Amino acid sequence: GDTDSWGGGDPCDWKGLVCGNGHVVVISLPTLVGDGLEGTLVPELAHLTELQRISLSGNRLTGPIPAEIGRLEKLETFDLARNDLEGPIPPELADIPFLRFVYLDDNRLSGELPESLGEIMFLTQLSLGGNQLEGDIPEWIGYWVYLDYLDLSDNRFTGPVPDNLADLSDLLTLSLANNSLEGPVPDGVRWLPLYHLDLSGNGCLTASEETSDFLTSLDKAWQDGCPLMIDTTALPDARVGEAYDFRLRASGGTREYEWSAMGLPEGLSIDQDGVISGTPSSDAAGNHLVEITVVEQNEAVAQAAFNLSVGEET
């Protein structure tokens, strides 16, 4: 196994250990395939006071994360992803002054995020997806001003998306998918430099028109927890001989919409993106009852009827 060389001679010669100035600075025994390491994390890890990186992902480690990890004052990378660890995230992680990369995804960690985590000032990447964490996502996550990667997906978080999320001005990747979040997404999110976003699989999330357009550009399923509905409340008036262009709006579902209409005045048509356009003909003057239908890819349907007034040519 990976640790067969452990137990004799100089530990700096053991597989998976890297030393500097005679001290162990790296433990790196990730497992991509196969059984990997078994057992628990022992509190005695804290005796390796020069440790800068722990990388033990993809093994079969069980039990809790020992609080003594907080004594590793030089630790920068803490990677225990894809094991079978359980229990709470130890608040003592906040005692590690230069901790930057934390990967604890795909374990069985539970409980709420300890408030002390907001004190990890240099945190750059945090991956906690695929656990059993619960409670609200706290406002203090906005303290992580250097954070560029945040994954809290596939947990049991509830409540709203916190307003202070918009303070993470370096954030590039955000995944909050498959929780039970609901309510408005803060407008400030649209100013973040995000290139990957996943909000799917939550309750009903809402947003202002501008923020909705931004979210949809990155994640068409961000509102899949909401029922499909047509948001447009009225059609603007048209006039014979004048160009007409108006985009209908809907929300909910996967936002993969197809639009159709019945009763449009002669000269106007609707495309599958919900844009009514054209130039009303001379026979189109008057009031028209227009029935709008939108269908999304999960076959949900929403319909609404509008009056469209077409004025005489001037």
Side-chain angles (χ1 to χ4, degrees), residues 9 11 16 27 29 43 47 82 119 134 139 159 191 199 215 218 222 227 241 266 272 287 294:
I27 299 177
L29 287 169
H47 295 165
R82 304 187 311 281
E119 301 170 12
E134 60 188 13
E139 289 284 352
W191 304 115
L199 299 179
L215 298 175
L218 292 170
W222 73 272
E266 185 177 346
Q272 290 191 347
N287 292 320
V294 60

Side-chain angles (χ1 to χ4, degrees), residues 67-262:
E68 288 79 4
I69 289 292
R71 299 179 189 170
L72 298 174
E73 294 186 355
K74 296 187 178 180
L75 193 67
E76 295 182 10
T77 300
F78 188 42
D79 184 1
L80 300 177
R82 304 187 311 281
N83 279 283
D84 201 24
L85 300 167
E86 59 187 2
I89 296 173
E92 289 81 5
L93 287 182
D95 296 335
I96 306 174
F98 301 108
L99 188 61
R100 296 180 59 201
F101 305 101
V102 177
Y103 309 110
L104 301 176
D105 44 293
D106 295 320
N107 282 283
R108 292 193 294 139
L109 301 173
S110 57
E112 299 186 359
L113 296 178
E115 186 173 355
S116 64
L117 295 188
E119 301 170 12
I120 306 178
M121 298 307 297
F122 297 102
L123 191 63
T124 304
Q125 297 192 351
L126 178 64
S127 185
L128 300 177
N131 283 288
Q132 300 167 16
L133 301 169
E134 60 188 13
D136 289 356
I137 298 176
E139 289 284 352
W140 48 254
I141 68 169
Y143 298 160
W144 295 327
V145 295
Y146 298 106
L147 201 70
D148 64 34
Y149 182 98
L150 177 61
D151 182 1
L152 301 180
S153 63
D154 296 286
N155 279 287
R156 301 172 181 174
F157 291 112
T158 56
V161 177
D163 288 341
N164 285 9
L165 186 70
D167 294 338
L168 303 179
S169 58
D170 289 341
L171 195 64
L172 301 174
T173 296
L174 172 64
S175 181
L176 304 180
N178 300 318
N179 284 285
S180 296
L181 305 173
E182 58 185 4
V185 178
D187 279 339
V189 167
R190 73 177 188 270
W191 304 115
L192 299 179
L194 291 171
Y195 71 85
H196 176 78
L197 173 70
D198 191 352
L199 299 179
S200 64
N202 281 287
C204 186
L205 297 171
T206 60
S208 67
E209 185 172 313
E210 295 83 358
T211 301
S212 176
D213 289 342
F214 171 78
L215 298 175
T216 302
S217 71
L218 292 170
D219 177 16
K220 290 186 180 299
W222 73 272
Q223 217 176 23
D224 62 358
C226 297
L228 178 64
M229 62 184 299
I230 294 174
D231 294 334
T232 300
T233 57
L235 299 179
D237 293 344
R239 185 170 295 278
V240 170
E242 295 183 6
Y244 187 89
D245 188 280
F246 180 73
R247 180 181 292 276
L248 297 158
R249 298 191 66 89
S251 60
T254 60
R255 304 188 76 88
E256 295 280 1
Y257 302 149
E258 291 189 5
W259 295 83
S260 60
M262 295 180 60

